[in-house]
Amino acid sequence: MTCKIAINGFFGKMGQSIFDESNNSSHIVKVGCDIEKKINNSKFNEIVLTSDLEKTQELFDVVIDFSIPSSSINIVKLCSKLKKAITIGTTGFSAEDLKEINLASKSIPILLAPNMSYGVNVCLDSLSTLSKKLKNYEVFINETHHKNKIDSPSGTAIKMAEIICEARDIKLGDIKSDNCPIKIESHRIDSEIGTHEIIFKNNSNEIKLTHTAFSRSIFSQGALDTAIWITKQRPGLYQFKDFMEDQS
């Protein structure tokens, strides 16, 4: 059975990367959703462009969302109404946003991942082990992204900090507070796709774990693969880790 995909945030950097990646694979993108202004100034013969996914509901089975939190929440509510699965790569959600996502997951399968890279998610698994073994080490996270990235720190950096704290059985708290147990530094430059460096340090030595993305295709492939996978799951809220474990 062929799975038909809609991309929300189609004209964003990730939306375009996912569409380009789909052309090099068996994944089929049928719908591109974005704001009316961007749609009116563009033309794609291969797919249907819309600012209202509900009008094209017969054309897709699953949504890949890389947009902004407000748009993402609207699409989550729509998917819940239409009983469509969704995989979300958008970051920067508030606590209220996450409540909405959790509520929707009672009726549809949702995969929520701040990072769709296989490599990054392997790093996340490694972080848990390192954090337990190096419990008395201070931890610093440095993350660098392109200058147009809105959220800071990145969703991936926050996820890393959460995993470290969970492994050490401590609370992360306010990530921007001086009292936060994990120190995060964010940098925004012209051309960087994404680099995350985690440093475990004490008085005698330090250990660094670094992931550098050279191309957005690593995130796009993960988004496409999880979109197909999530359509086969029962209603619930899933992580990229759930997808990876199911593949092993």
Side-chain angles (χ1 to χ4, degrees), residues 123-137 139 160-169 182 198 200:
C123 287
L124 293 179
D125 275 350
S126 301
L127 271 183
S128 182
T129 301
L130 285 170
S131 300
K132 291 175 182 177
K133 299 291 185 180
L134 306 173
K135 203 160 189 175
N136 295 321
Y137 283 57
V139 184
M160 288 173 167
E162 289 173 345
I163 286 174
I164 293 165
C165 288
E166 183 180 345
R168 293 180 168 185
D169 197 24
I182 312 297
I198 308 92
F200 292 83

Side-chain angles (χ1 to χ4, degrees), residues 58-90:
E58 301 301 323
L59 299 179
F60 66 91
D61 305 306
V62 60
V63 175
I64 298 176
D65 171 70
F66 275 85
S67 56
I68 58 175
S70 57
S71 175
S72 183
I73 294 303
N74 287 336
I75 294 300
V76 165
K77 290 178 179 178
L78 177 62
C79 285
S80 181
K81 175 184 174 182
L82 301 178
K83 301 303 179 188
K84 304 277 190 178
I86 182 170
T87 184
I88 305 171
T90 300

Side-chain angles (χ1 to χ4, degrees), residues 152-204:
S152 177
S154 69
T156 302
I158 294 172
K159 181 66 175 179
M160 288 173 167
E162 289 173 345
I163 286 174
I164 293 165
C165 288
E166 183 180 345
R168 293 180 168 185
D169 197 24
I170 58 176
K171 291 185 177 181
L172 178 61
D174 183 357
I175 57 173
K176 296 189 177 180
S177 167
D178 290 338
N179 296 322
C180 183
I182 312 297
K183 308 304 179 189
I184 305 176
E185 286 192 10
S186 300
H187 310 276
R188 299 290 177 262
I189 61 177
D190 284 346
S191 58
E192 189 76 13
I193 293 174
T195 294
H196 293 87
E197 180 184 56
I198 308 92
I199 304 168
F200 292 83
K201 185 177 182 179
N202 67 9
N203 292 330
S204 58

Side-chain angles (χ1 to χ4, degrees), residues 7-26:
I7 301 173
N8 184 50
F10 181 74
F11 289 106
K13 286 184 172 66
M14 276 306 305
Q16 287 296 286
S17 178
I18 292 167
F19 179 63
D20 289 343
E21 189 69 22
S22 73
N23 289 326
N24 300 319
S25 69
S26 59

